[in-house]
Amino acid sequence: MCAKYTFYKNPPDRETGETGSLYAKIVSGGKVTTNQLAEEIADKSTFTSGDVKGVIKALSEQLYYHLSEGETVEIDDVGNFSVTLKTPKGITDPKQIRAESISFNNVVYRASPELKHK
């Protein structure tokens, strides 16, 4: 089955008045849960569904640990995970920043070239 998509139109440019261009956006085909993934992987391997769930749980815990240590996590054929931070607005000098004012923002995922190619 192929991914479904639809087109959306960007708003017109305020300065030039040019018509907004179209861009494609995926239409979600639903959500796949850990249980479903575990069953599918178990069906294609010698692992049980419980084994797969255990590995996914352990992966999640180790991913958290390494990201909290400031490391990037690379998973072969999947991609890289890294953390971004938030700092207060209006900071112009590093001396203005305190460790307490820096906070976690997001986890960024970048697909591997192999996954993109597939």
Side-chain angles (χ1 to χ4, degrees):
M1 186 169 131
C2 295
K4 296 179 183 173
Y5 60 91
T6 187
F7 288 105
Y8 289 89
K9 192 172 193 173
N10 284 320
D13 187 296
R14 290 183 184 180
E15 294 176 8
T16 64
E18 290 182 20
T19 304
S21 58
L22 294 177
Y23 65 96
K25 187 173 179 182
I26 289 285
V27 175
S28 177
K31 180 171 62 172
V32 178
T33 65
T34 302
N35 287 338
Q36 183 178 347
L37 281 174
E39 289 294 330
E40 291 170 354
I41 293 169
D43 288 344
K44 295 177 180 183
S45 69
T46 59
F47 302 111
T48 67
S49 176
D51 291 337
V52 175
K53 287 181 203 175
V55 169
I56 291 172
K57 177 70 174 164
L59 174 63
S60 172
E61 290 170 3
Q62 289 309 116
L63 188 60
Y64 163 77
Y65 171 77
H66 288 286
L67 292 175
S68 69
E69 292 292 314
E71 299 171 323
T72 296
V73 178
E74 179 181 343
I75 301 174
D76 293 344
D77 298 333
V78 173
N80 295 319
F81 296 84
S82 60
V83 171
T84 62
L85 301 174
K86 278 192 274 192
T87 54
K89 294 185 188 263
I91 300 294
T92 57
D93 183 349
K95 293 178 182 177
Q96 294 175 296
I97 298 177
R98 301 284 177 257
E100 301 82 30
S101 64
I102 299 171
S103 62
F104 167 81
N105 185 39
N106 207 351
V107 174
V108 176
Y109 165 70
R110 289 181 185 87
S112 70
E114 298 84 6
L115 184 60
K116 286 180 184 180
H117 180 71
K118 288 180 185 179

